Amino acid sequence: MILCLGPVGSGKTLLLKNLQNLETIDTTTSTVPTVGTNLTAIRLENQKEVTVRELGGSMAPIWRNYFNNDVKKILYVVDASNLCQIAAAGVLFYTILAEPSLHKTK
């Protein structure tokens, strides 16, 4: 499983929707902030399907409850156009990197 993490409003849901089906997303698409978790199945180029669990940014204090042996990769999303958010995103990212249970996670 892949975890998709990032601060509130960083674009995690929109990114996953784009990865899931490129033809259905346009520039007018908007999303609602994720309060809990979303599971998204994405088909890769080699026709392998992977499951991505998106955790809402408001859940950052309990993200570590989802860090287990089943997590193979982490996708960390940052909205680089939001200058006020970049520092907070860095702090959240550092807490993920410092997590002992993720030392073998890509």
Side-chain angles (χ1 to χ4, degrees):
M1 177 173 299
I2 299 172
L3 281 182
C4 182
L5 306 172
V8 175
S10 60
K12 297 177 294 296
T13 302
L14 188 58
L15 173 67
L16 292 176
K17 285 184 178 184
N18 275 318
L19 291 173
Q20 191 175 27
N21 191 349
L22 296 174
E23 289 81 34
T24 61
I25 305 296
D26 60 21
T27 57
T28 61
T29 300
S30 62
T31 57
V32 180
T34 303
V35 177
T37 67
N38 287 331
L39 289 175
T40 306
I42 297 176
R43 186 162 302 281
L44 302 176
E45 290 178 5
N46 61 1
Q47 299 301 316
K48 180 181 175 187
E49 191 171 275
V50 295
T51 302
V52 180
R53 176 177 293 222
E54 173 195 357
L55 300 178
S58 61
M59 294 178 55
I62 62 168
W63 281 352
R64 75 184 59 207
N65 294 336
Y66 292 88
F67 301 160
N68 56 38
N69 293 334
D70 192 33
V71 176
K72 303 299 181 210
K73 297 178 183 179
I74 292 184
L75 177 64
Y76 192 75
V77 181
V78 178
D79 181 2
S81 68
N82 186 347
L83 297 177
C84 298
Q85 187 186 75
I86 290 178
V91 171
L92 282 174
F93 187 57
Y94 178 74
T95 61
I96 293 169
L97 291 176
E99 184 65 38
S101 60
L102 295 176
H103 72 278
K104 292 185 178 180
T105 305
K106 295 181 181 182

